[in-house]
Amino acid sequence: MDSSFHFNFPGSSTYCIAGYHRKVAQTIRPLRLPFRAFRIALITSSAAIIITICAIASYAASSPPKPAPAPAASNTGFAPDSRTLFAPILCLAPPGPARASRAIAIFDRQLAFQRKLSFHPKIGPSLQHVIDLLPPRQSTLIRAAALYSNSEVPWHDQADGTHQICVAGQPDNADYLYTLVQQWRSPEEPARFSGIFSLKPAADSAPANVSSVTGTLAGELMIDTYGLGELVDLLGDTLREFHGDLKPPWDSAAGKFNHHDRAAMDRFHRQMPHLAAKFDRYFKFNNLLDEFNSPAGPIVLFNVDMEVRQDALKKYPLLYEFYRKLVSAVVAKSDILDAHGNYWMREAFDHGHIHFTIMLRDGLLTPFNGAMQPAGDSVALEEITRGGYRALASGQVTSLAMNFGLANIGFTTDYRRDAGSCTFVNRMNAVPQLVAPPGVHQVMDLVAGDFLRVLATGDGGLNSKLSSRMLPNGVYDFAAGFTAELNYSPTLELLARIGDAIAKEHNDRVRAEERAFGEELFDAFVADYNEARPAILALDSDKGERQVKSK
């Protein structure tokens, strides 16, 4: 396969799973400002899409923002209340006659497959034996160098010393079955999966003392529904649905639940009653969105502040207990920023409060500053064909009245899209910083500092790739993988073993309850989707088609 963008697996130069894309010479429309960074946010409805990406497309202007345009007509760019919330699925089918009917057929296939893949995994006996020999997922990276020398693991050895474990997946009635296989082989038909986990000794490691390895975890999945590009288009159209009533009295400050929020919630309950009922049961909304007036027309700050109703989780006792402890101990944040420090997306988990913030103007993503004010041109996601973005994250856990965690977890991402393919390439761009109390911090840095430095800078640094490409027969090939150099740290390994002993007993059962909870929301979504079929089919009229196409 001729590939201009590929993922080489240790031990072979022939594996090429991340797909390829044709070279893109220019964007769809002339850029008024130079591209410096962007982010694509792929937020899809409750487990209905195969891959969810948290990214936002953005311009990072090298010159000051342009003056505001002349006042626009009220509600320009936002979807009318009369349009079904499921209208964006038309983006999954190419334009043309009976587009809604074709989109429904595509989405039906995806939902049936998604249920098996997301909620009903089944592990073959030989693969289960391997899993039992591997450390829990929380410490796989930390213990990778030591794991390389574990002779009990049935590694498939390569000539250069690389150790591999290969996995295949396929539907098995109502389940999705994963089995251990001897070697990597790309999927050859829809709904099939191939995966690989490999460890390769670093160049300076002695055969008898492997102190550092390059770890690779990757997979390839073939589906007959849609690719990442179609998901970007779906998101671009879905964002037009994020509004309240777009009427005065306008908000003067962010965070107040009022008639704008109630209008959005009323529409949600009216058009998606089953899923809305589940949200009412499991979540409390302190705020949903804020709407402001401007010379250019209404601005929507989709500004979610919600909490999980913990008592509602008691039907899942292990998940309830896990989440109850999480609420009191964990704070995590992630921001998407441009070169000027303006935001395209903010998300956080702060002692039980779940926050998510984006800004929309004319139904398009818009950058905003720390005062929640517009800070540049809006972006039409479907028109972006290349660019880059940067993300910054942090997380900490409180234990014994002390905070421990990581900050400055930064990544840069390159994005490319053409008519048949879409690709994200992510690279860690800084060494994460340890968060710990004074005194303890120095000890922690001695324990973990070298591991983090090698993770960020060794062998090119931690990087990952996600892509989809359409094959000549119309089937889509998805591929994802990450690779990083993982240094051996005996102290970290000891700490990981202690943590594993505490966590392992409940891991599988908690994940089973997580899947059951997810499927409960998924079922509600599917029920609403099935009831909305007549409204979706009505979009096959000329008027409906124009509504979906307009941005």
Side-chain angles (χ1 to χ4, degrees):
M1 174 169 56
D2 180 17
S3 172
S4 62
F5 181 72
H6 59 275
F7 205 110
N8 288 323
F9 284 96
S12 174
S13 61
T14 60
Y15 292 124
C16 181
I17 71 158
Y20 67 89
H21 58 84
R22 301 179 185 90
K23 302 295 193 297
V24 181
Q26 60 185 13
T27 56
I28 293 176
R29 66 178 181 183
L31 290 181
R32 291 171 292 172
L33 297 171
F35 244 119
R36 291 287 302 279
F38 77 96
R39 179 94 172 166
I40 291 192
L42 228 42
I43 305 166
T44 58
S45 299
S46 190
I49 307 287
I50 184 169
I51 295 178
T52 300
I53 307 167
C54 285
I56 293 183
S58 68
Y59 290 108
S62 59
S63 57
K66 292 188 174 183
S74 179
N75 301 7
T76 298
F78 291 100
D81 286 347
S82 59
R83 190 177 86 151
T84 173
L85 290 173
F86 290 94
I89 75 166
L90 266 68
C91 297
L92 303 178
R99 190 182 188 187
S101 300
R102 290 183 286 115
I104 286 176
I106 290 170
F107 205 47
D108 285 348
R109 293 198 303 273
Q110 183 61 44
L111 290 175
F113 174 65
Q114 193 71 43
R115 184 183 298 279
K116 298 177 183 181
L117 187 71
S118 297
F119 307 119
H120 298 280
K122 183 179 179 181
I123 308 298
S126 58
L127 180 58
Q128 185 61 56
H129 174 68
V130 174
I131 293 174
D132 292 341
L133 295 172
L134 298 179
R137 58 182 178 176
Q138 304 95 304
S139 62
T140 301
L141 296 183
I142 294 174
R143 296 168 57 182
L147 180 63
Y148 175 87
S149 301
N150 187 345
S151 59
E152 295 183 358
V153 178
W155 299 109
H156 183 64
D157 298 336
Q158 301 294 298
D160 64 353
T162 299
H163 289 170
Q164 292 181 352
I165 294 172
C166 299
V167 176
Q170 66 182 57
D172 182 27
N173 297 319
D175 303 322
Y176 197 81
L177 175 65
Y178 296 93
T179 58
L180 184 68
V181 294
Q182 287 299 307
Q183 61 183 2
W184 168 274
R185 184 176 181 179
S186 290
E188 297 179 348
E189 59 184 275
R192 297 301 180 95
F193 168 82
S194 295
I196 189 170
F197 171 54
S198 70
L199 300 175
K200 179 181 180 180
D204 58 352
S205 290
N209 183 24
V210 177
S211 60
S212 183
V213 297
T214 297
T216 297
L217 179 66
E220 186 177 6
L221 177 70
M222 187 174 290
I223 59 175
D224 61 353
T225 53
Y226 44 78
L228 289 173
E230 287 74 19
L231 289 179
V232 172
D233 294 342
L234 182 147
L235 172 63
D237 199 42
T238 300
L239 291 177
R240 300 177 61 227
E241 310 285 352
F242 289 16
H243 64 84
D245 55 15
L246 297 171
K247 295 177 181 179
W250 303 103
D251 286 311
S252 57
K256 183 178 180 181
F257 195 100
N258 52 27
H259 66 99
H260 302 302
D261 306 81
R262 286 190 291 271
M265 294 298 290
D266 287 346
R267 186 182 181 203
F268 181 39
H269 282 79
R270 185 171 63 253
Q271 295 205 23
M272 303 182 71
H274 298 90
L275 186 59
K278 294 296 182 183
F279 270 67
D280 289 343
R281 177 176 182 177
Y282 289 111
F283 302 101
K284 173 189 175 185
F285 283 89
N286 303 308
N287 196 66
L288 182 61
L289 49 80
D290 305 292
E291 295 186 343
F292 305 92
N293 198 18
S294 76
I299 292 174
V300 175
L301 188 69
F302 190 67
N303 187 25
V304 177
D305 176 3
M306 68 180 187
E307 303 172 68
V308 173
R309 299 184 188 274
Q310 294 186 50
D311 286 348
L313 286 180
K314 287 183 177 179
K315 64 181 295 185
Y316 303 107
L318 296 176
L319 180 59
Y320 165 76
E321 187 64 21
F322 169 78
Y323 188 78
R324 187 181 65 82
K325 294 177 180 178
L326 191 75
V327 165
S328 61
V330 174
V331 174
K333 300 178 181 179
S334 177
D335 296 327
I336 310 304
L337 308 99
D338 64 20
H340 303 288
N342 297 316
Y343 300 99
W344 288 90
M345 181 182 76
R346 306 201 72 180
E347 57 183 349
F349 180 89
D350 187 353
H351 296 104
H353 284 258
I354 301 168
H355 299 277
F356 180 83
T357 306
I358 57 175
M359 180 172 284
L360 302 167
R361 181 170 50 200
D362 294 338
L364 303 177
L365 278 172
T366 303
F368 57 98
N369 58 28
M372 302 292 188
Q373 299 172 335
D377 290 341
S378 302
V379 171
L381 298 185
E382 68 278 3
E383 296 184 8
I384 298 172
T385 59
R386 61 170 55 204
Y389 68 80
R390 68 187 185 98
L392 186 64
S394 64
Q396 64 182 42
V397 177
T398 301
S399 179
L400 301 177
M402 297 184 292
N403 294 327
F404 299 89
L406 291 175
N408 194 43
I409 307 171
F411 285 87
T412 57
T413 297
D414 294 325
Y415 170 77
R416 296 291 185 271
R417 180 185 178 185
D418 64 17
S421 66
C422 186
T423 303
F424 296 81
V425 183
N426 309 283
R427 295 179 180 85
M428 183 173 278
N429 58 23
V431 178
Q433 298 173 354
L434 286 164
V435 176
V440 179
H441 188 283
Q442 288 81 352
V443 176
M444 293 291 292
D445 190 53
L446 288 173
V447 171
D450 192 49
F451 177 88
L452 294 174
R453 284 188 288 272
V454 172
L455 181 70
T457 63
D459 197 21
L462 188 153
N463 64 85
S464 64
K465 304 173 185 179
L466 171 66
S467 71
S468 73
R469 62 187 178 98
M470 186 171 64
L471 303 178
N473 61 358
V475 173
Y476 289 89
D477 181 67
F478 277 78
F482 94 91
T483 183
E485 185 173 348
L486 308 169
N487 209 29
Y488 178 61
S489 172
T491 307
L492 273 183
E493 182 181 2
L494 175 61
L495 295 177
R497 288 182 182 275
I498 295 173
D500 294 345
I502 297 172
K504 187 174 181 178
E505 180 180 355
H506 299 295
N507 264 356
D508 290 341
R509 288 185 291 166
V510 170
R511 285 199 294 270
E513 290 190 352
E514 288 174 350
R515 288 193 293 268
F517 175 61
E519 190 169 19
E520 184 179 344
L521 299 181
F522 182 86
D523 288 341
F525 174 86
V526 172
D528 290 325
Y529 163 69
N530 287 331
E531 290 184 0
R533 286 173 184 268
I536 301 171
L537 290 170
L539 296 171
D540 269 336
S541 67
D542 291 341
K543 180 180 178 181
E545 188 76 4
R546 284 197 301 271
Q547 287 180 351
V548 174
K549 287 182 178 179
S550 63
K551 302 294 180 188

